[in-house]
Amino acid sequence: TLLLKEKEKKFNFLGGGTWGPPGEGKEWYEGFAAQMQLSAINPFGYGQNFSSTLSLGFSGKNVSLDYSIRKPFGFPFSISTSLSYLNQPTTETITNDSTVTISSTNLTAFKIDFSLSTLKLNNIKYTFGGGVNYKFIETSIATNVNSTEVSSSISTMEYIGANVLLGINYENLDDLIIPTEGLYFSVLAQKYFRISGDAPVALKTQEEFSFHMPIQNTHFSLASRIYASQIFQQSGDDMTNYLNGLNSLRGAELSGDMTLLLNNEVRYVNKEGQFPFYVAGFVDFGYAES
C-alpha cells in the first residue's frame, strides 16, 4: 500500500553567544559574538527550504539568506539561491621602540548566487549557475613616533564581478549520510568576469573523487578522498584557494593558487542502533602552491 502525504513542515531556530580572547591590541569586550540561525522546511507546502544566518560581533557582521526548491511546478530539477553580506574590520599594531604603526582595514562584501541542478539520472547530476559579487576595501595606515603622528595614508579598492559555473557529478553511494560502499566523482568549473573596478578575471576548477569499501563481515570500512582545485588568473584582485572547512587538512590550513588534498580513513560504522554513528582514524595529506 502506497500512502501519499504532504511533506512535513518544520521550523528550526538556533542561537547563542560566545566570548574568546580578542587578540593583541584589542579590548576584552571585542571578543564577544552572537549567532542566530532560522530555517524552515516546506513552510507553504511546495517543498521549499528557507534558511537565514546572522552573525554579529565587534570584529565583524555576516548575514546570509538561502532558498531552495526541488521540482518547482513539477519540473525535473532543483533551484537554489543565496544572498550574503559581510562587514569585517581588522586592525594590526606594530611597535618598534618609539615607533608605532597602526594598519586598519574595513572589508564590505555583498554576494548573490543562483544555481540550477538536474535531478539524478543514472547516478549523474548536472549543475549550472552564476553569481554577482561586490567588494569594497578601505585601508588606512598611521605611523606615530613618541605618540605624535608623523604620517598617514588611506587607500580604497572597489569592484563588481560576476561568475558562471558548470558542474557534473556521479555517485552510487549506499548512504548519503554515512556511506560504507560506492563511488563519488565531481568536476566544477567557474569563470569569473569583470563588471567594474579591479574585479578578478580568472578560471577556477575543482575536482573530487572518493570511494568507500566495506571490510566483509565486520563493521569496518575504508574511505579515501582526493580533492584538487586550481585558479588560472588573468588579471584583477588576487583569488586564493583554501584547504579548510569540508575540504580540510585536519589540524592545519593551507592556501594557494593550486591545492591538493588526500583524506584517508578507517571507519567503524554502526547503523543498526537508534542513533547511527561512526568512529574514524585518519591520515591526511595536503599541498598548496602559488
Side-chain angles (χ1 to χ4, degrees), residues 183-214:
L183 301 173
Y184 176 87
F185 174 76
S186 71
V187 177
L188 179 68
Q190 290 176 274
K191 176 62 179 176
Y192 290 83
F193 304 92
R194 177 185 297 115
I195 297 179
S196 66
D198 198 30
V201 178
L203 174 66
K204 178 178 179 179
T205 58
Q206 300 175 80
E207 305 84 33
E208 179 180 345
F209 172 76
S210 64
F211 73 90
H212 302 263
M213 183 177 66

Side-chain angles (χ1 to χ4, degrees), residues 18-283:
T18 183
W19 180 87
E24 185 179 353
K26 296 184 179 181
E27 300 293 337
W28 64 272
Y29 54 79
E30 295 186 70
F32 284 106
Q35 185 177 59
M36 178 184 72
Q37 184 179 72
L38 177 65
S39 62
I41 300 175
N42 195 40
F44 306 117
Y46 297 103
Q48 311 99 324
N49 291 336
F50 290 95
S51 68
S52 62
T53 302
L54 175 65
S55 300
L56 299 176
F58 287 96
S59 60
K61 303 171 182 64
N62 192 355
V63 180
S64 66
L65 300 171
D66 298 277
Y67 166 82
S68 65
I69 181 170
R70 187 175 184 271
K71 297 184 69 175
F73 308 107
F75 293 113
F77 53 77
S78 298
I79 293 176
S80 63
T81 59
S82 66
L83 292 169
S84 65
Y85 166 79
L86 172 66
N87 177 254
Q88 190 174 54
T90 58
T91 301
E92 182 181 11
T93 302
I94 299 176
T95 302
N96 184 10
D97 296 330
S98 60
T99 302
V100 179
T101 302
I102 302 174
S103 176
S104 300
T105 301
N106 187 55
L107 166 65
T108 301
F110 178 80
K111 188 176 183 181
I112 178 171
D113 290 301
F114 166 84
S115 68
L116 182 150
S117 300
T118 63
L119 300 185
K120 189 168 67 172
L121 182 64
N122 296 326
N123 296 324
I124 298 177
K125 184 172 73 172
Y126 300 92
T127 302
F128 313 88
V132 177
N133 64 295
Y134 166 82
K135 188 174 183 179
F136 176 79
I137 299 177
E138 182 180 74
T139 303
S140 63
I141 300 176
T143 301
N144 301 312
V145 178
N146 295 324
S147 301
T148 302
E149 185 175 279
V150 295
S151 66
S152 64
S153 64
I154 297 178
S155 61
T156 61
M157 182 186 70
E158 184 178 25
Y159 69 72
I160 299 176
N163 75 89
V164 294
L165 66 88
L166 174 65
I168 180 174
N169 68 50
Y170 169 89
E171 65 90 2
N172 62 354
L173 303 175
D174 63 336
D175 190 315
L176 294 179
I177 307 300
I178 309 179
T180 58
E181 185 175 8
L183 301 173
Y184 176 87
F185 174 76
S186 71
V187 177
L188 179 68
Q190 290 176 274
K191 176 62 179 176
Y192 290 83
F193 304 92
R194 177 185 297 115
I195 297 179
S196 66
D198 198 30
V201 178
L203 174 66
K204 178 178 179 179
T205 58
Q206 300 175 80
E207 305 84 33
E208 179 180 345
F209 172 76
S210 64
F211 73 90
H212 302 263
M213 183 177 66
I215 300 176
Q216 297 298 324
N217 302 320
T218 71
H219 283 284
F220 289 92
S221 68
L222 303 177
S224 288
R225 175 175 178 262
I226 300 175
Y227 169 81
S229 61
Q230 305 85 26
I231 293 176
F232 305 96
Q233 187 154 356
Q234 298 175 353
S235 61
D237 188 31
D238 286 339
M239 298 179 61
T240 304
N241 280 322
Y242 295 93
L243 289 182
N244 59 8
L246 293 176
N247 301 315
S248 176
L249 175 72
R250 287 165 282 199
E253 180 175 302
L254 300 177
S255 61
D257 297 338
M258 299 185 180
T259 64
L260 176 66
L261 177 68
L262 175 61
N263 301 128
N264 297 287
E265 294 185 359
V266 178
R267 297 179 174 182
Y268 173 84
V269 182
N270 188 333
K271 301 183 183 180
E272 300 169 359
Q274 185 177 359
F275 302 101
F277 72 93
Y278 78 90
V279 180
F282 67 85
V283 175

